[in-house]
Amino acid sequence: MPLVTIKAIEEVFSPKQKEEMIRKVTDAMVSVEGEQMRGVTWVLFEEVKDGDWAIGGKAVSVSALKKAPAS
């Protein structure tokens, strides 16, 4: 049974967005492995505290992410 973990900074995504990500990740696994995998595909959405996430050795905050230009 597959276990997929999604990690994100807390309060970035709404409950509705998290539900959508979980559904779409499950759908992606099913598209590869077949419908029989739907009932055994686990998706874990973990939220990391603001400031406990770092890129390039520097802590990242939600406010900094919102100010960053989109790639």
Side-chain angles (χ1 to χ4, degrees):
M1 87 183 123
L3 169 62
V4 180
T5 303
I6 301 169
K7 292 191 179 231
I9 298 173
E10 66 184 357
E11 298 184 25
V12 171
F13 298 103
S14 70
K16 185 175 179 177
Q17 288 172 314
K18 290 186 273 188
E19 287 176 23
E20 182 178 359
M21 278 188 263
I22 291 167
R23 181 179 45 79
K24 287 183 175 183
V25 166
T26 301
D27 289 345
M29 294 299 297
V30 168
S31 74
V32 172
E33 295 291 332
E35 190 60 41
Q36 73 278 3
M37 293 303 289
R38 186 171 303 280
V40 295
T41 298
W42 294 57
V43 180
L44 177 61
F45 198 102
E46 293 183 334
E47 292 186 293
V48 179
K49 283 183 156 187
D50 191 21
D52 285 355
W53 189 281
I55 299 172
K58 296 181 181 179
V60 178
S61 66
V62 173
S63 61
L65 285 175
K66 290 181 179 181
K67 293 176 188 174
S71 304

